[in-house]
Amino acid sequence: MTDPTTPPAGQALADEQELSLSFDRYAQLVRDILGVPAATVSLVGEQTQSFLGAAGLPEPWQTQRWTPLVHSICLLVVDDSAPVAIPDARLDPRTSASPSITDLELVAYLGVPLVAGTQIVGALCAIDGVPRQWGEREIHILTGLSAACSAELVLRHTRAQALDRRREAETARAVAERHGQDAEVARHRSELQTVVFRESERHSRLLLALSETLAATSSVESVLEVVQEASAGYLDAETASFVLDEQPVLVTGRAPDDGRSLSAPLSGTLPGRLVLTWATEEAARPWRSSGEDEDGRDGTDGRDGTDGRRTQAQVEETISALAHFASMALDRAILLQERRSAAATLQHAMLTLLPPRPDASLAARYVPAASANQVGGDWYDAVTVPSPTGIAEDADLALIIGDVAGHDIGAAATMGQVRSVLRGLLVDRGLDQGVDPAAMISRLDTALTRLAMPTCSSLVLAVLHAPDDEGPGRRLTWANAGHPAPLRISADGRTQLLDEPTGLLLGIPLVLPRHTHETRLEPGDTLLLYTDGLIERPGRRLSAGQAQLMLSAASHHGLPVTEMLDRVLQDLISDDPDDDCAMLAIRLG
């Protein structure tokens, strides 16, 4: 006869598959966010290391899901009870003899503790096959993901315990019924265990949701919002705030000591406390109690879990977890805020002043992304190129628009490097023999490679040449390295995309010829260079954005060039753009 409390083999297999898929999600998140080839959710046992979640491991380890303990660099994380960052395991005396270097193709390693209750049980790990310096950003991100992963471990452990208790109760009831005994007590026990199970599972899910939500925050304001919502919704608190030292970006002050407040220390690098305040002292009493109160009661206000309400232990665990998760989120938010501020300052410093031209009108615009998380790599420049003759009237004008991949301080710094190198090449080449756009982009690509400045950038370089004998217009040459096509707006409002075949992006390790294209601008004609933030929208083809740009430019072509750019921005850019945008325009006089 089959034991009714034992799940069938098919269900056990499904549970195991669901468990792997759940924790594989965390490993894949680590790969995607940190840009590493492999990641694991590793549990350290007495003899083996098991991969509860894995992504990108070489076979047979990805399928086998365990290694002998001698492979485990995660053991260092467990022993140190702290993150372990190893730039090159082959050179580190702690790991140089590890079989993981060859078997798991592990060179660089970053591991952050996984915590179940008060015990460190393993690590969430990022693995790279080449040497890598791990920065604060990577450690903060992995710490946040580890908190969410740890909460899910606790949730699943709690659920398993509750299921075991419920099965015990159901078994006792079945035994009582088989022996003809009164099953009423057994039935009540079963119902009680069901209530406890549901509340325990709900509590664990709350902790998991808190960790995941706070791990996704990226600003001080969003951290405060999440903490206040959780405090009001679960703990009935009126307010939640942080009392911190020397952090003007946060609300600071003294916590009221009037019986209405409770504080928990922050666990990150910030000195301070999380302070919860209730409307009255009476409302605060159930949450402040941690033992017997003055009346000899147990301080739980009936919250013992037997009626589906929260136990005092659950309340204390929630407040402690809330403070811990909030600490890590605040650390990360403040770090990101500082990095964004530095990147934005650097980026705006790189937006050049346009040179005055008696024969043409120049204008430029830059619109940052609405999200504070996004600091873009869009840029523009205009450089007067000295003529080989040395005569000012014979000087060419180089017009550049570019977009460096990324939305952080690294992208802003790369933008500055690309701009500076190109400026130097333009001036040097112009003094020699003039500027050929395709040849100049090829020289720029070569220079960046030789100077070890890795980049992935798009670029248009256009040159408005000096007056010639062919009429009042001016010759325009350009080359395109994977960038949206320039737009020509004639004096009568007709528009034309200069969409001749483009070349490769900068930084692509292939040697293919680049091509210079040529047209002629007549008096009153406008050339518009722009980045993809002006025309690209989720779910819409790039060609649709370009068509909208052409309509807008045609309808506003009669305005001065600065006003035309403003109107085009109003037509195409929303109040909260997803991406930054740069525009550079020249109108021939």
Side-chain angles (χ1 to χ4, degrees), residues 103-271:
D103 292 352
L104 301 183
E105 299 175 6
L106 184 154
V107 175
Y109 172 89
L110 178 62
V112 173
L114 289 174
V115 182
T118 60
Q119 183 180 4
I120 297 176
V121 296
L124 182 62
C125 314
I127 298 171
D128 207 332
V130 296
R132 175 168 178 166
Q133 291 291 337
W134 305 100
E136 278 189 276
R137 173 181 174 273
E138 288 90 350
I139 295 173
H140 273 274
I141 289 173
L142 200 62
T143 299
L145 292 173
S146 174
C149 191
S150 296
E152 184 156 347
L153 281 173
V154 173
L155 168 63
R156 291 180 178 277
H157 179 67
T158 303
R159 178 189 298 172
Q161 287 182 323
L163 284 172
D164 287 343
R165 290 195 297 267
R166 187 167 67 179
R167 288 171 185 149
E168 290 173 3
E170 290 173 349
T171 300
R173 178 179 177 181
V175 170
E177 288 177 344
R178 283 199 298 269
H179 288 276
Q181 298 174 357
D182 183 6
E184 189 66 17
V185 173
R187 183 177 65 82
H188 281 298
R189 182 185 175 193
S190 177
E191 291 173 352
L192 174 62
Q193 294 291 350
T194 299
V195 170
V196 172
F197 165 70
R198 289 174 179 170
E199 175 57 27
S200 177
E201 183 175 35
R202 193 180 78 85
H203 171 71
S204 296
R205 287 192 176 279
L206 169 74
L207 297 182
L208 176 60
L210 277 176
S211 68
E212 289 183 331
T213 305
L214 284 168
T217 57
S218 57
S219 68
V220 172
E221 292 76 13
S222 60
V223 173
L224 288 170
E225 184 178 346
V226 170
V227 170
Q228 288 174 348
E229 288 179 356
S231 302
Y234 188 79
L235 300 172
D236 303 327
E238 185 178 50
T239 62
S241 60
F242 296 98
V243 178
L244 303 176
D245 299 331
E246 299 177 358
Q247 285 292 337
V249 296
L250 299 174
V251 177
T252 62
R254 292 179 57 83
D257 189 17
D258 56 3
R260 298 188 299 114
S261 299
L262 181 150
S263 67
L266 299 179
S267 61
T269 61
L270 298 174

Side-chain angles (χ1 to χ4, degrees), residues 360-363 397 399 464 521 525-527 561 584-588:
S361 300
L362 284 101
L397 178 66
L399 304 164
L464 185 68
L521 291 185
D525 288 356
T526 303
L527 178 71
V561 66
L584 175 62
I586 183 169
R587 179 173 294 168
L588 199 60

